[in-house]
Amino acid sequence: KYLINMTDLSLNSKLIVENLIEFKPKKVILEIGFGAGENLLSSAKMNPEVLYLGADPFLNTNARCIKELLNNNIINVLLFV
């Protein structure tokens, strides 16, 4: 629900975000290196009409962020792993 697996994409692939989410976002924001996810989660809570794409190379960071997304029922965040 929250993850985009980069191994499923090739260089010629096109990521169609609308196929992955349940709403039509007014804007899409990419946050690279979201750390513990505080800014990403806070922004997503305050702007439910915006889709946030997060990319961070660390598994523990992604896991922590997913836990908070689930606990707070935040649906406007996708994470690249």
Side-chain angles (χ1 to χ4, degrees):
K1 177 176 176 177
Y2 293 107
L3 301 177
I4 300 170
N5 189 339
M6 295 304 291
T7 58
D8 293 339
L9 299 174
S10 70
L11 292 176
N12 297 325
S13 294
K14 191 181 225 182
L15 178 63
I16 302 172
V17 174
E18 287 82 10
N19 294 344
L20 301 173
I21 56 175
E22 300 171 359
F23 71 101
K24 182 157 178 65
K26 290 185 178 180
K27 184 167 43 168
V28 178
I29 295 176
L30 171 63
E31 185 169 339
I32 299 173
F34 57 83
E38 295 97 342
N39 183 61
L40 183 67
L41 294 165
S42 174
S43 296
K45 284 181 191 176
M46 292 188 316
N47 302 292
E49 74 286 351
V50 175
L51 175 64
Y52 290 88
L53 302 176
D56 196 281
F58 300 107
L59 182 59
N60 62 336
T61 301
N62 284 286
R64 200 174 323 136
C65 193
I66 291 169
K67 179 181 174 186
E68 290 302 316
L69 291 169
L70 291 169
N71 288 342
N72 292 285
N73 197 31
I74 299 171
I75 63 166
N76 59 328
V77 174
L78 293 175
L79 303 178
F80 286 96
V81 295

